Amino acid sequence: MNRNIIYTLFVSVALFLMSCQETGDTSVVTTPTNLNANLSECLWAPFSQGANFTLSIDFSNNNVIVYNSNNETVDEGSWAFTDGKFVLTNLSGVLANYNGAWEIIEDRNVFFELQKEGVKINFEQDCNLN
């Protein structure tokens, strides 16, 4: 294969990977600073196999404010990033079963996945939610 073609292919792949990082298509390293900044941007929609959520969650300021489809508050609590885990506390309404320390399986700008005791829950950022 011609060296120019190989070089062009290499550059194209590198540019593609750089664009993925800029658009949030690849995982990012979870730190308290980037997690807090990312979660504060918009509301988040939870989803999980076997669970039918019609909720949106505001994670700003380390709070957890859960809204139903009528935009009514149905739960409140808080979160922290402690010892590499996403810790939910003080939830006593519809998400009370989700209190505790969750392992972060995947963390991207618009999506993150948590796991605790074999249960997985995903969150997708939706800036169109009110």
Side-chain angles (χ1 to χ4, degrees):
M1 196 181 268
N2 185 320
R3 286 185 185 196
N4 287 337
I5 293 173
I6 293 171
Y7 177 76
T8 302
L9 181 61
F10 176 78
V11 170
S12 296
V13 169
L15 290 172
F16 172 75
L17 291 173
M18 287 172 54
S19 71
C20 287
Q21 289 175 336
E22 290 171 3
T23 60
D25 292 336
T26 59
S27 293
V28 297
V29 176
T30 303
T31 66
T33 301
N34 71 15
L35 186 62
N36 194 16
N38 190 35
L39 290 178
S40 295
E41 279 186 31
C42 297
L43 294 180
W44 292 78
F47 62 96
S48 178
Q49 288 185 331
N52 185 17
F53 295 111
T54 54
L55 305 171
S56 57
I57 302 175
D58 180 352
F59 287 110
S60 61
N61 301 314
N62 291 85
N63 293 311
V64 179
I65 303 172
V66 184
Y67 302 97
N68 65 14
S69 59
N70 295 325
N71 208 28
E72 300 166 326
T73 302
V74 293
D75 207 346
E76 293 184 76
S78 57
W79 69 270
F81 185 63
T82 307
D83 297 325
K85 302 226 182 213
F86 188 80
V87 181
L88 295 168
T89 56
N90 301 319
L91 295 167
S92 60
V94 297
L95 294 182
N97 292 335
Y98 293 92
N99 283 310
W102 293 78
E103 181 181 351
I104 299 173
I105 302 298
E106 189 171 349
D107 177 14
R108 294 187 274 158
N109 290 338
V110 297
F111 172 86
F112 71 102
E113 179 177 43
L114 305 175
Q115 179 176 322
K116 179 180 87 167
E117 300 170 0
V119 175
K120 289 184 181 178
I121 187 167
N122 304 293
F123 297 88
E124 187 171 46
Q125 186 182 67
D126 190 341
C127 294
N128 296 317
L129 292 172
N130 294 327

mmCIF file of all heavy atoms in Angstrom, residues 2-22:
data_model
loop_
_atom_site.group_PDB
_atom_site.id
_atom_site.type_symbol
_atom_site.label_atom_id
_atom_site.label_comp_id
_atom_site.label_asym_id
_atom_site.label_seq_id
_atom_site.Cartn_x
_atom_site.Cartn_y
_atom_site.Cartn_z
ATOM 1 N N ASN A 2 0.513 2.231 -0.688
ATOM 2 C CA ASN A 2 1.259 3.473 -0.795
ATOM 3 C C ASN A 2 1.343 4.166 0.557
ATOM 4 O O ASN A 2 0.364 4.244 1.302
ATOM 5 C CB ASN A 2 0.549 4.367 -1.824
ATOM 6 C CG ASN A 2 1.285 5.640 -2.112
ATOM 7 O OD1 ASN A 2 1.839 6.256 -1.196
ATOM 8 N ND2 ASN A 2 1.275 6.035 -3.357
ATOM 9 N N ARG A 3 2.529 4.690 0.903
ATOM 10 C CA ARG A 3 2.720 5.364 2.194
ATOM 11 C C ARG A 3 1.807 6.577 2.347
ATOM 12 O O ARG A 3 1.363 6.880 3.445
ATOM 13 C CB ARG A 3 4.171 5.784 2.373
ATOM 14 C CG ARG A 3 5.065 4.622 2.658
ATOM 15 C CD ARG A 3 6.449 5.089 2.938
ATOM 16 N NE ARG A 3 7.299 3.918 3.086
ATOM 17 C CZ ARG A 3 8.480 3.950 3.622
ATOM 18 N NH1 ARG A 3 8.994 5.081 4.043
ATOM 19 N NH2 ARG A 3 9.184 2.860 3.734
ATOM 20 N N ASN A 4 1.536 7.286 1.279
ATOM 21 C CA ASN A 4 0.637 8.448 1.350
ATOM 22 C C ASN A 4 -0.778 8.031 1.722
ATOM 23 O O ASN A 4 -1.464 8.714 2.473
ATOM 24 C CB ASN A 4 0.634 9.214 0.023
ATOM 25 C CG ASN A 4 1.920 9.987 -0.189
ATOM 26 O OD1 ASN A 4 2.624 10.309 0.765
ATOM 27 N ND2 ASN A 4 2.235 10.266 -1.450
ATOM 28 N N ILE A 5 -1.199 6.888 1.205
ATOM 29 C CA ILE A 5 -2.542 6.395 1.525
ATOM 30 C C ILE A 5 -2.601 5.988 3.004
ATOM 31 O O ILE A 5 -3.562 6.296 3.709
ATOM 32 C CB ILE A 5 -2.923 5.214 0.606
ATOM 33 C CG1 ILE A 5 -3.081 5.709 -0.833
ATOM 34 C CG2 ILE A 5 -4.211 4.552 1.087
ATOM 35 C CD1 ILE A 5 -3.285 4.603 -1.845
ATOM 36 N N ILE A 6 -1.564 5.298 3.472
ATOM 37 C CA ILE A 6 -1.519 4.892 4.876
ATOM 38 C C ILE A 6 -1.525 6.122 5.780
ATOM 39 O O ILE A 6 -2.256 6.180 6.765
ATOM 40 C CB ILE A 6 -0.287 4.007 5.156
ATOM 41 C CG1 ILE A 6 -0.429 2.677 4.421
ATOM 42 C CG2 ILE A 6 -0.104 3.773 6.648
ATOM 43 C CD1 ILE A 6 0.811 1.807 4.456
ATOM 44 N N TYR A 7 -0.714 7.115 5.436
ATOM 45 C CA TYR A 7 -0.658 8.344 6.237
ATOM 46 C C TYR A 7 -2.016 9.049 6.249
ATOM 47 O O TYR A 7 -2.495 9.469 7.296
ATOM 48 C CB TYR A 7 0.423 9.288 5.685
ATOM 49 C CG TYR A 7 0.484 10.609 6.411
ATOM 50 C CD1 TYR A 7 1.069 10.688 7.674
ATOM 51 C CD2 TYR A 7 -0.071 11.759 5.860
ATOM 52 C CE1 TYR A 7 1.115 11.883 8.359
ATOM 53 C CE2 TYR A 7 -0.038 12.958 6.542
ATOM 54 C CZ TYR A 7 0.558 13.019 7.782
ATOM 55 O OH TYR A 7 0.596 14.205 8.455
ATOM 56 N N THR A 8 -2.654 9.133 5.091
ATOM 57 C CA THR A 8 -3.970 9.777 4.991
ATOM 58 C C THR A 8 -4.995 9.020 5.830
ATOM 59 O O THR A 8 -5.810 9.621 6.533
ATOM 60 C CB THR A 8 -4.436 9.839 3.516
ATOM 61 O OG1 THR A 8 -3.460 10.559 2.767
ATOM 62 C CG2 THR A 8 -5.790 10.502 3.390
ATOM 63 N N LEU A 9 -4.948 7.698 5.766
ATOM 64 C CA LEU A 9 -5.855 6.882 6.567
ATOM 65 C C LEU A 9 -5.610 7.102 8.054
ATOM 66 O O LEU A 9 -6.549 7.279 8.843
ATOM 67 C CB LEU A 9 -5.685 5.403 6.210
ATOM 68 C CG LEU A 9 -6.568 4.410 6.946
ATOM 69 C CD1 LEU A 9 -8.036 4.692 6.662
ATOM 70 C CD2 LEU A 9 -6.218 3.001 6.541
ATOM 71 N N PHE A 10 -4.351 7.123 8.475
ATOM 72 C CA PHE A 10 -3.993 7.354 9.875
ATOM 73 C C PHE A 10 -4.508 8.716 10.346
ATOM 74 O O PHE A 10 -5.103 8.831 11.415
ATOM 75 C CB PHE A 10 -2.478 7.264 10.049
ATOM 76 C CG PHE A 10 -2.022 7.591 11.438
ATOM 77 C CD1 PHE A 10 -2.145 6.670 12.464
ATOM 78 C CD2 PHE A 10 -1.482 8.837 11.722
ATOM 79 C CE1 PHE A 10 -1.734 6.977 13.750
ATOM 80 C CE2 PHE A 10 -1.066 9.150 13.005
ATOM 81 C CZ PHE A 10 -1.197 8.225 14.023
ATOM 82 N N VAL A 11 -4.276 9.746 9.563
ATOM 83 C CA VAL A 11 -4.733 11.094 9.916
ATOM 84 C C VAL A 11 -6.254 11.133 10.000
ATOM 85 O O VAL A 11 -6.825 11.732 10.914
ATOM 86 C CB VAL A 11 -4.190 12.144 8.916
ATOM 87 C CG1 VAL A 11 -4.849 13.494 9.129
ATOM 88 C CG2 VAL A 11 -2.681 12.253 9.049
ATOM 89 N N SER A 12 -6.946 10.487 9.085
ATOM 90 C CA SER A 12 -8.414 10.461 9.105
ATOM 91 C C SER A 12 -8.942 9.803 10.370
ATOM 92 O O SER A 12 -9.883 10.293 10.992
ATOM 93 C CB SER A 12 -8.944 9.717 7.876
ATOM 94 O OG SER A 12 -8.593 10.393 6.712
ATOM 95 N N VAL A 13 -8.333 8.682 10.753
ATOM 96 C CA VAL A 13 -8.759 7.987 11.978
ATOM 97 C C VAL A 13 -8.488 8.871 13.196
ATOM 98 O O VAL A 13 -9.330 9.005 14.086
ATOM 99 C CB VAL A 13 -8.062 6.613 12.103
ATOM 100 C CG1 VAL A 13 -8.288 6.013 13.480
ATOM 101 C CG2 VAL A 13 -8.555 5.680 11.017
ATOM 102 N N ALA A 14 -7.333 9.505 13.248
ATOM 103 C CA ALA A 14 -6.999 10.379 14.376
ATOM 104 C C ALA A 14 -7.981 11.543 14.474
ATOM 105 O O ALA A 14 -8.448 11.880 15.562
ATOM 106 C CB ALA A 14 -5.569 10.898 14.236
ATOM 107 N N LEU A 15 -8.312 12.158 13.349
ATOM 108 C CA LEU A 15 -9.278 13.269 13.352
ATOM 109 C C LEU A 15 -10.657 12.790 13.789
ATOM 110 O O LEU A 15 -11.363 13.481 14.527
ATOM 111 C CB LEU A 15 -9.344 13.934 11.979
ATOM 112 C CG LEU A 15 -8.103 14.738 11.586
ATOM 113 C CD1 LEU A 15 -8.206 15.189 10.129
ATOM 114 C CD2 LEU A 15 -7.927 15.930 12.505
ATOM 115 N N PHE A 16 -11.045 11.586 13.350
ATOM 116 C CA PHE A 16 -12.332 11.038 13.761
ATOM 117 C C PHE A 16 -12.379 10.832 15.277
ATOM 118 O O PHE A 16 -13.339 11.213 15.941
ATOM 119 C CB PHE A 16 -12.601 9.710 13.048
ATOM 120 C CG PHE A 16 -13.807 8.986 13.566
ATOM 121 C CD1 PHE A 16 -15.082 9.419 13.245
ATOM 122 C CD2 PHE A 16 -13.675 7.892 14.400
ATOM 123 C CE1 PHE A 16 -16.198 8.767 13.738
ATOM 124 C CE2 PHE A 16 -14.784 7.240 14.901
ATOM 125 C CZ PHE A 16 -16.054 7.672 14.560
ATOM 126 N N LEU A 17 -11.319 10.252 15.833
ATOM 127 C CA LEU A 17 -11.278 10.014 17.280
ATOM 128 C C LEU A 17 -11.301 11.330 18.053
ATOM 129 O O LEU A 17 -11.947 11.438 19.091
ATOM 130 C CB LEU A 17 -10.059 9.186 17.656
ATOM 131 C CG LEU A 17 -10.084 7.731 17.185
ATOM 132 C CD1 LEU A 17 -8.753 7.049 17.476
ATOM 133 C CD2 LEU A 17 -11.236 6.972 17.803
ATOM 134 N N MET A 18 -10.614 12.343 17.547
ATOM 135 C CA MET A 18 -10.631 13.650 18.207
ATOM 136 C C MET A 18 -12.033 14.243 18.170
ATOM 137 O O MET A 18 -12.501 14.816 19.148
ATOM 138 C CB MET A 18 -9.629 14.595 17.547
ATOM 139 C CG MET A 18 -8.190 14.244 17.871
ATOM 140 S SD MET A 18 -6.970 15.184 16.928
ATOM 141 C CE MET A 18 -7.454 16.859 17.260
ATOM 142 N N SER A 19 -12.745 14.079 17.065
ATOM 143 C CA SER A 19 -14.103 14.626 16.983
ATOM 144 C C SER A 19 -15.040 13.880 17.921
ATOM 145 O O SER A 19 -15.950 14.468 18.491
ATOM 146 C CB SER A 19 -14.625 14.585 15.547
ATOM 147 O OG SER A 19 -14.894 13.259 15.145
ATOM 148 N N CYS A 20 -14.813 12.576 18.116
ATOM 149 C CA CYS A 20 -15.634 11.821 19.068
ATOM 150 C C CYS A 20 -15.454 12.365 20.472
ATOM 151 O O CYS A 20 -16.423 12.516 21.206
ATOM 152 C CB CYS A 20 -15.245 10.342 19.056
ATOM 153 S SG CYS A 20 -15.787 9.457 17.599
ATOM 154 N N GLN A 21 -14.234 12.664 20.859
ATOM 155 C CA GLN A 21 -13.984 13.194 22.191
ATOM 156 C C GLN A 21 -14.655 14.543 22.373
ATOM 157 O O GLN A 21 -15.182 14.839 23.425
ATOM 158 C CB GLN A 21 -12.486 13.317 22.437
ATOM 159 C CG GLN A 21 -11.824 11.971 22.590
ATOM 160 C CD GLN A 21 -10.323 12.078 22.705
ATOM 161 O OE1 GLN A 21 -9.724 13.044 22.257
ATOM 162 N NE2 GLN A 21 -9.708 11.078 23.288
ATOM 163 N N GLU A 22 -14.680 15.354 21.339
ATOM 164 C CA GLU A 22 -15.295 16.670 21.449
ATOM 165 C C GLU A 22 -16.816 16.588 21.539
ATOM 166 O O GLU A 22 -17.457 17.434 22.125
ATOM 167 C CB GLU A 22 -14.894 17.535 20.249
ATOM 168 C CG GLU A 22 -13.429 17.927 20.277
ATOM 169 C CD GLU A 22 -12.974 18.594 19.001
ATOM 170 O OE1 GLU A 22 -13.814 18.810 18.100
ATOM 171 O OE2 GLU A 22 -11.779 18.894 18.893
#
